């Protein structure tokens, strides 16, 4: 029966397989391999939960760790196809946007860690050190293998014509369809300073605005209106009492912050209403917070990463994670605990600091070829 199925029907069935099962299926026979290659299975990642991808923050070789949420299993994946070690910036559907760690000047690399394909993006018009980076994914390919995306780079340090360095007060844009950078507007110098010194790469896009959050108390949010090329700052309640705070995307379309309170095991999710008031929409279960903190009342080394429908709070690779996932009908969400990665195939994994991303795996061939 399976050998007589039309390619389009077989491809639809394949699209519901998780990536590891799909990899096995396409190697079963020539018919299935041809089908997988012919249809490219652009929707293969859309039916499945995002995987957690973790890269060690220090230079410990070109590799990453992946958690499969369906099988609740950790994997070790080599990144030796990349010419240099990288630091992740964000995920774009099935791709990882990152920057090489061997240069202070920003250079961006796009790769699919599952197909071992990569591509270096063109150099920016202005060489910058430590700018803020934000990404807007256009169209229906939010979780697909062929997204159209736009990257915004703001602030950073650039060299003066006669020596020395200065804060860069421009915004550059990269469009994946045009494959080039262009300068699109100014950055007020006070924003350029804060984007360069106090802002990590985490950024969210909501209703025409890109948002970054400062990386230390007192926390505040900086917003960039893409259409008008204007900047604004938003204050956060209890900004002085937060020990960590991270922006995450939500399907609600509201600006959302995940944060932990100083001297407490309490962590919660705050959303910004249309009238610009903040409210607590979710609370991290206390027992999970205590477990993540290991009995200490300090959120200082905690990080959080999110995509639409999911977010993870984590520390080191072996510390475990607190995961929130939205219900399929969008009626709410559920918190769960994921054990950290301590052993892979019987070998102990060193407990190191990591930078995590949520990524939708895809084994489809890409336009990077």
């Amino acid at each position: 029966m399976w050998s007589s199925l039309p390619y389009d029907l077989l491809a639809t069935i394949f699209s519901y397989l998780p990536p590891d099962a799909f990899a096995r299926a396409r190697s079963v026979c020539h018919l299935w391999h041809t089908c997988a290659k012919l249809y490219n299975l652009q929707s293969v990642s859309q039916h499945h939960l995002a995987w957690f991808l973790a890269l060690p923050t220090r230079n410990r070789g070109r590799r990453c760790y992946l958690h499969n949420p369906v099988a609740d299993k950790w994997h070790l994946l080599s990144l030796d196809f990349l010419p240099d070690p990288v630091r992740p910036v964000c995920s774009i559907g099935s791709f990882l946007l990152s920057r090489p760690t061997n240069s202070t000047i920003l250079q961006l690399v796009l790769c699919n860690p599952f197909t071992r394909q990569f591509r270096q993006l063109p150099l920016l018009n202005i060489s910058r050190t430590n700018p803020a980076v934000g990404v807007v994914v256009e169209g229906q390919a939010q979780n697909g293998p062929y997204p159209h995306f736009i990257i915004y780079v703001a602030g950073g340090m650039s060299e003066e014509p006669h020596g020395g360095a200065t804060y860069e007060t421009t915004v550059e844009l990269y469009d994946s369809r045009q494959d080039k950078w262009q300068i699109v507007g100014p950055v007020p110098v006070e924003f350029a300073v804060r984007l360069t010194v106090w802002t990590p790469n985490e950024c969210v896009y909501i209703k025409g605005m890109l948002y970054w959050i400062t990386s230390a108390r007192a926390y505040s949010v900086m917003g960039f209106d893409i259409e008008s090329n204007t900047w604004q700052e938003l204050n956060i309640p209890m900004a002085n009492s937060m020990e960590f705070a991270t922006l995450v995307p939500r399907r609600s379309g509201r600006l959302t912050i995940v944060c932990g309170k100083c001297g407490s095991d309490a962590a919660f999710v705050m959303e910004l209403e249309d009238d610009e008031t903040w409210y607590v929409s979710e609370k991290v279960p206390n027992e999970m917070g205590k477990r993540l903190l290991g009995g200490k009342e300090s959120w200082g080394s905690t990080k959080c990463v999110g995509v639409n429908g999911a977010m993870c709070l984590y520390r080191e690779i072996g510390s475990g994670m607190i995961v929130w996932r939205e219900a399929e009908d969008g009626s709410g969400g559920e918190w769960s605990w994921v054990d950290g990665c301590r052993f892979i195939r019987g070998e102990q994994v060193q407990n190191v600091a990591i930078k995590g991303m949520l990524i939708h795996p895809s084994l489809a061939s890409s336009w990077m070829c």
Side-chain angles (χ1 to χ4, degrees):
M1 180 186 75
W2 286 95
S3 62
S4 62
L5 285 178
Y7 275 167
D8 58 343
L9 179 56
L10 189 59
T12 301
I13 296 171
F14 282 171
S15 73
Y16 285 89
L17 294 176
D20 45 358
F22 171 63
R24 292 191 295 269
R26 70 177 186 176
S27 64
V28 166
C29 64
H30 179 72
L31 174 69
W32 288 17
H33 180 80
T34 302
C35 175
K37 186 175 181 180
L38 179 64
Y39 277 81
N40 249 335
L41 294 177
Q42 296 185 17
S43 61
V44 71
S45 64
Q46 297 179 354
H47 302 300
H48 305 292
L49 301 175
W51 290 27
F52 181 78
L53 181 149
L55 279 84
T57 55
R58 298 184 182 275
N59 188 4
R60 298 179 183 273
R62 283 170 282 180
R63 65 178 184 273
C64 66
Y65 301 93
L66 289 150
H67 180 259
N68 178 346
V70 177
D72 190 19
K73 184 177 181 181
W74 286 93
H75 302 273
L76 176 63
L77 197 63
S78 173
L79 300 177
D80 59 3
F81 63 93
L82 294 173
D84 302 294
V86 296
R87 181 182 304 121
V89 175
C90 69
S91 62
I92 304 177
S94 303
F95 297 122
L96 181 67
L97 182 68
S98 58
R99 54 170 300 174
T101 59
N102 60 355
S103 173
T104 57
I105 301 299
L106 181 68
Q107 166 73 68
L108 294 174
V109 177
L110 197 67
C111 76
N112 183 332
F114 300 91
T115 61
R116 298 173 60 83
Q117 297 168 303
F118 80 96
R119 182 171 182 269
Q120 290 185 331
L121 300 188
L123 294 174
L124 281 76
N125 291 300
I126 300 173
S127 296
R128 304 167 188 249
T129 300
N130 202 38
V133 180
V135 176
V136 178
V137 180
E138 301 281 359
Q140 54 83 35
Q142 290 267 351
N143 298 332
Y146 307 122
H148 168 219
F149 59 91
I150 298 173
I151 303 173
Y152 291 85
V153 172
M157 299 291 292
S158 62
E159 292 185 1
E160 290 273 29
H162 303 292
T166 185
Y167 289 105
E168 182 54 48
T169 56
T170 60
V171 179
E172 286 195 53
L173 172 155
Y174 170 84
D175 191 315
S176 63
R177 290 180 176 173
Q178 299 177 6
D179 193 30
K180 66 178 182 180
W181 292 91
Q182 58 179 314
I183 297 175
V184 294
V187 182
V189 65
E190 62 271 21
F191 282 90
V193 172
R194 301 187 73 187
L195 288 168
T196 304
V197 178
W198 297 112
T199 306
N201 280 324
E202 287 83 358
C203 177
V204 296
Y205 172 72
I206 302 171
K207 299 177 182 178
M209 297 281 296
L210 284 169
Y211 294 99
W212 292 267
I213 191 169
T214 54
S215 58
R217 299 198 300 265
Y219 291 97
S220 65
V221 174
M222 288 167 287
F224 174 58
D225 188 312
I226 290 174
E227 185 174 351
S228 64
N229 281 326
T230 56
W231 292 82
Q232 61 178 273
E233 183 174 3
L234 300 174
N235 293 322
I236 303 172
M238 302 179 294
N240 278 308
S241 63
M242 294 179 184
E243 200 159 18
F244 95 96
T246 305
L247 295 173
V248 294
R250 296 294 288 271
R251 294 191 198 278
S252 65
R254 296 189 181 99
L255 186 63
T256 303
I257 295 175
V258 182
C259 49
K261 194 174 181 180
C262 294
S264 167
D265 54 23
F268 43 89
V269 181
M270 295 196 304
E271 297 189 31
L272 184 65
E273 293 273 30
D274 293 336
D275 62 0
E276 297 190 357
T277 59
W278 293 90
Y279 75 100
V280 176
S281 60
E282 301 268 356
K283 289 187 177 180
V284 176
N286 285 341
E287 65 276 10
M288 293 187 187
K290 292 177 181 179
R291 190 172 180 181
L292 182 66
L293 299 183
K296 302 176 183 178
E297 293 187 345
S298 174
W299 294 92
S301 61
T302 305
K303 303 181 183 72
C304 182
V305 63
V307 295
N308 283 332
M311 55 187 167
C312 297
L313 284 82
Y314 65 95
R315 301 183 78 150
E316 296 84 17
I317 187 67
S319 300
M321 298 187 296
I322 302 173
V323 179
W324 180 90
R325 291 195 185 274
E326 188 177 50
E328 290 185 5
D329 60 4
S331 59
E334 183 179 4
W335 296 95
S336 62
W337 176 263
V338 173
D339 288 331
C341 180
R342 297 182 180 274
F343 292 89
I344 293 181
R345 296 181 179 177
E347 294 189 12
Q348 187 172 3
V349 175
Q350 186 179 0
N351 191 27
V352 296
I354 56 172
K355 176 71 172 178
M357 294 286 148
L358 286 170
I359 189 169
H360 290 268
S362 174
L363 299 176
S365 300
S366 86
W367 48 265
M368 288 190 292
C369 296

